[in-house]
Amino acid sequence: MTVLAMSQGELSRFDTLMRVERGELRIEDAATLLGLKRRQIFRLLGRLREDGAAGLMSRKRGRPGNRRHSDAFREKVVALVREHYADFGPTLAREYLAERHGIRIGCETLRKLMMDAGLWKDCQARRPRPYQPRYRRDCRGELIQIDGSKHCWFEDRGPQCTLLVYIDDATSELMHLRMVESESTFAYMEATRAYIEQHGKPVAFYSDKHSVFRNARASAARGDGMTHFGRALDALNIEIICANSPQAKGRVERANATLQDRLVKAMRLEGISSIMDANAFLDSYMVRHNERFARPAFDVRDLHRPLAPHDDLRAIMVWREQRTVTAALTLHYNKAMFILEPNDVSLNLARKRVTVCEYPDGRLEIEHEGHVLPYRQFDKMRQVNQPAIVENKHLDAALLLAKQMQAIMPHHRKRNNDAPARRDQPMHMFPEPEPPTKIDRRKLGGSKLKRGPRLSDAELRERGTLRFVQKT
């Protein structure tokens, strides 16, 4: 069975000629209906009887047009546009082709050539993706949008830092602001704890897909695949929802743009140039901001829930990891060894799992079934190797070997890659080592000998360094 693609006119012509073949229509009437002469009707009937319906299709279909540019010309035009006018539009590229290269080509033809070569996109492809607006949530505390905005908040008076913004979706009310050094898990834990203590537990937080909120490799993650911040919210019965695009959480994105304009100028007038002073100022600024931009909710109910009697925020907002205790009552965490003090609980923990709890304020506790275990710390990164005994005549070689080892292994004294960011912790027990001095490996072997001017044979004979070997 053959499938033919026919136009509407060709289908109408086929139906009319079939009626002529069946004797239902005269030749004169068919010519009047199709707007043709009698001889053309007979010619089409001959094609229909010989080739069937395919004989009525246009013979030009699939063939290049008579006015089509040659392949060599088309390749030349595309090569010129790609080399000189890759970021030009078709209209402007056409003008320069005529002015500088003497090539005359239609604008629509050039547009199609550029689209086929991937140098231009049509209006449909260049049109931005539409984002349908959605209605606000009905009640206050139903959905809280959170985001971190990294900006020069102190302009040239202080370092660049990040502002954590909590805004209510129903009212556009700034619920909490906190200035931190970086957008880290500990920073969000401390800010969320202050938020819940002030307002209560919301129904859900709405955030982006930052690694604090979502594990991008959840299928290969250890345990349940949740982040440490997500596990803390799950313990408080608070939902965390991640937006698929910045436009989806436009409420907090627009608030960030407003704060980057108004808050920066307000802190400039107050002479604020540090994170501590900014956090003390943000509460008074939020009142003035909400008076200007907040709006009443559709429903007057507040869906913030009070803390349950068993909710201990300081014990929940913690970075938790599991470790196994060795037979010597030791465990390893972040390239540091912790030695448990022997007592009635720790003596029975050999080969068992314990929980290492790292708090936002820098404290670290080791727990097992609700018991806090006393410990001593032995930092392996502070361990000093026994100095080697080197004779004086071998000192240069030993120093050269040490420099080469330092240059080849610059990262052997770093902490674990999956350790939390601790820039927002005031004090912690895992100081990072000083980065090694950058060494030019090309100079490890000493300076090269400079090549002097080439000496002639006569000069070499005078110095006695050129010898002649006479063949016998």
Side-chain angles (χ1 to χ4, degrees), residues 49-335:
R49 297 184 185 116
E50 182 178 353
D51 300 329
L56 302 179
M57 297 175 59
S58 175
R59 301 290 178 89
K60 297 180 180 180
R61 185 172 300 172
R63 296 172 54 187
N66 296 331
R67 301 181 60 185
R68 182 179 184 271
H69 295 292
S70 63
D71 293 338
F73 178 81
R74 295 159 66 93
E75 293 175 359
K76 177 182 177 181
V77 171
V78 172
L80 287 174
V81 174
R82 190 186 302 277
E83 182 180 358
H84 302 288
Y85 317 113
D87 57 342
F88 285 34
T91 303
L92 184 59
R94 173 177 173 267
E95 296 175 1
Y96 277 98
L97 285 174
E99 178 183 345
R100 303 180 63 180
H101 306 279
I103 296 177
R104 307 288 178 179
I105 188 172
C107 185
E108 184 64 19
T109 304
L110 181 60
R111 187 181 74 89
K112 292 182 178 179
L113 289 178
M114 293 176 65
M115 289 173 55
D116 294 340
L119 300 174
W120 185 252
K121 295 182 179 179
D122 59 357
C123 294
Q124 186 68 25
R126 287 185 283 114
R127 185 174 302 162
R129 173 186 170 186
Y131 290 92
Q132 297 292 333
R134 63 171 178 83
Y135 290 106
R136 296 172 178 266
R137 308 310 302 175
D138 294 337
C139 302
R140 183 175 184 265
E142 186 176 357
L143 184 68
I144 304 299
Q145 297 190 16
I146 57 177
D147 192 26
S149 176
K150 186 177 182 180
H151 187 65
C152 295
W153 294 101
F154 308 125
E155 298 173 310
D156 56 350
R157 304 183 309 276
Q160 189 180 38
C161 54
T162 301
L163 179 67
L164 304 185
V165 182
Y166 292 66
I167 186 171
D168 186 75
D169 186 82
T171 63
S172 292
E173 176 186 358
L174 289 180
M175 307 296 292
H176 187 67
L177 295 177
R178 183 178 179 85
M179 197 76 69
V180 295
E181 291 192 9
S182 63
E183 194 174 3
S184 62
T185 300
F186 285 133
Y188 272 108
M189 283 182 175
E190 194 67 19
T192 305
R193 181 188 61 80
Y195 173 91
I196 295 175
E197 289 177 348
Q198 181 180 358
H199 301 286
K201 299 188 295 185
V203 176
F205 283 118
Y206 197 43
S207 68
D208 54 16
K209 292 183 283 188
H210 194 277
S211 59
V212 173
F213 313 108
R214 181 177 181 271
N215 193 339
R217 298 179 297 177
S219 59
R222 294 173 295 178
D224 52 9
M226 298 176 64
T227 64
H228 294 272
F229 183 72
R231 190 176 296 110
L233 294 183
D234 182 68
L236 293 170
N237 195 18
I238 300 175
E239 190 71 22
I240 180 72
I241 304 173
C242 294
N244 195 37
S245 65
Q247 290 80 1
K249 54 184 186 66
R251 199 92 57 212
V252 69
E253 295 289 349
R254 289 189 293 271
N256 287 339
T258 303
L259 291 170
Q260 289 176 6
D261 178 38
R262 290 175 171 248
L263 179 58
V264 168
K265 296 173 181 176
M267 290 193 297
R268 181 200 306 164
L269 296 177
E270 298 293 333
I272 296 174
S273 59
S274 66
I275 293 178
M276 182 180 300
D277 295 339
N279 287 327
F281 169 73
L282 289 176
D283 289 338
S284 60
Y285 175 81
M286 280 195 301
V287 175
R288 184 166 70 250
H289 182 98
N290 291 334
E291 290 176 353
R292 173 66 176 83
F293 296 103
R295 56 178 295 176
F298 181 78
D299 194 329
V300 296
R301 291 178 300 167
D302 191 346
L303 298 186
H304 283 101
R305 298 161 293 165
L307 287 171
H310 60 274
D311 289 336
D312 185 359
L313 289 179
R314 297 190 178 274
I316 293 176
M317 295 293 178
V318 176
W319 183 287
R320 298 177 181 273
E321 290 197 14
Q322 299 286 326
R323 290 293 185 271
T324 301
V325 180
T326 65
L329 299 183
T330 63
L331 58 98
H332 299 268
Y333 175 73
N334 200 23
K335 289 189 177 179

